[in-house]
Amino acid sequence: MSTEDTTNDTKVDDKIKLLDKEFDLVLINEYFDESLIVLKKQLCWEMKDIVYISNGIRNSATRSEVKNETINKIINWNKGDFKLYMHFNNTLWKKISDYGPNFSRDLRELQELNKEIMSQCIDPNNANTEDRRKTEYVLKPNAPENCTYLWLGDVDFVRLLREKQISNCTEVQSR
């Protein structure tokens, strides 16, 4: 969409309808765990498939209070983005509502598994705080191999997956 189109309610609504048809699920950062639980169910995954290590977490000490007047200006300036966000946020909560009675149990299970993973993988006394805005965890020296994969950032992890896929394809082709 062009910048001008983002202020046109009809065009924004049409784009949201199009995106809603294209995406079965949009993960919402503020509800990341909840989003992952819905994703797990949609893809018939197991809980182990969605565990993760949060890394590079922004420190709350570096956040500043934003006045309501400023928030309203930001929402107004980004009206199309805000509409998009609200649509998919509401869609997520509808999917959570439709998930059934096991949602809360599954969410607690994921959060407990993530705590266990953090305990197995991360040294709580050794974090990289060079950038005062965020905390980057450091793996324990004796951490299990799966910790390395969970600790990787998204770019490095995707690169690793691509290398593995290329290797697998080469292997299959040589047979």
Side-chain angles (χ1 to χ4, degrees):
M1 289 183 80
S2 70
T3 304
E4 297 82 37
D5 287 349
T6 63
T7 60
N8 180 319
D9 283 340
T10 303
K11 289 186 178 186
V12 168
D13 291 341
D14 289 346
K15 190 64 164 184
I16 289 172
K17 286 177 190 167
L18 177 71
L19 292 171
D20 194 51
K21 288 179 184 173
E22 288 186 32
F23 294 105
D24 293 324
L25 176 67
V26 172
L27 281 66
I28 303 294
N29 190 56
E30 294 86 349
Y31 304 105
F32 190 65
D33 288 354
E34 292 84 349
S35 297
L36 287 176
I37 294 296
V38 173
L39 179 69
K40 177 187 84 67
K41 185 172 185 177
Q42 285 187 344
L43 296 178
C44 300
W45 283 353
E46 296 178 33
M47 199 63 74
K48 68 179 178 64
D49 298 321
I50 62 170
V51 295
Y52 64 94
I53 294 174
S54 290
N55 207 0
I57 301 168
R58 186 172 173 172
N59 291 328
S60 57
T62 62
R63 296 179 187 200
S64 54
E65 208 50 46
V66 180
K67 296 177 185 174
N68 283 337
E69 178 185 341
T70 305
I71 291 171
N72 290 333
K73 283 181 182 179
I74 292 169
I75 289 171
N76 191 43
W77 290 331
N78 299 285
K79 197 165 118 180
D81 291 332
F82 185 70
K83 249 181 150 170
L84 177 70
Y85 170 83
M86 290 306 297
H87 172 79
F88 284 109
N89 187 33
N90 291 334
T91 301
L92 172 65
W93 286 101
K94 169 82 171 84
K95 289 178 186 292
I96 289 170
S97 175
D98 294 345
Y99 188 96
N102 293 332
F103 181 82
S104 295
R105 183 202 67 203
D106 290 352
L107 180 61
R108 279 191 307 277
E109 183 181 346
L110 172 62
Q111 292 168 340
E112 287 301 316
L113 281 171
N114 280 338
K115 284 180 190 173
E116 287 175 27
I117 289 293
M118 290 292 284
S119 175
Q120 288 174 8
C121 301
I122 300 301
D123 181 352
N125 301 315
N126 187 12
N128 179 352
T129 55
E130 288 176 17
D131 183 345
R132 68 176 188 83
R133 296 170 298 171
K134 65 182 180 178
T135 300
E136 290 184 354
Y137 295 114
V138 176
L139 287 178
K140 289 180 177 177
N142 59 344
E145 184 180 5
N146 69 319
C147 294
T148 304
Y149 299 121
L150 292 170
W151 181 77
L152 286 175
D154 55 345
V155 173
D156 291 329
F157 191 72
V158 168
R159 184 176 32 77
L160 181 73
L161 287 176
R162 284 188 181 133
E163 289 169 1
K164 185 168 177 59
Q165 287 176 326
I166 290 168
S167 173
N168 288 345
C169 287
T170 306
E171 213 176 278
V172 168
Q173 288 174 345
S174 66
R175 289 183 192 168

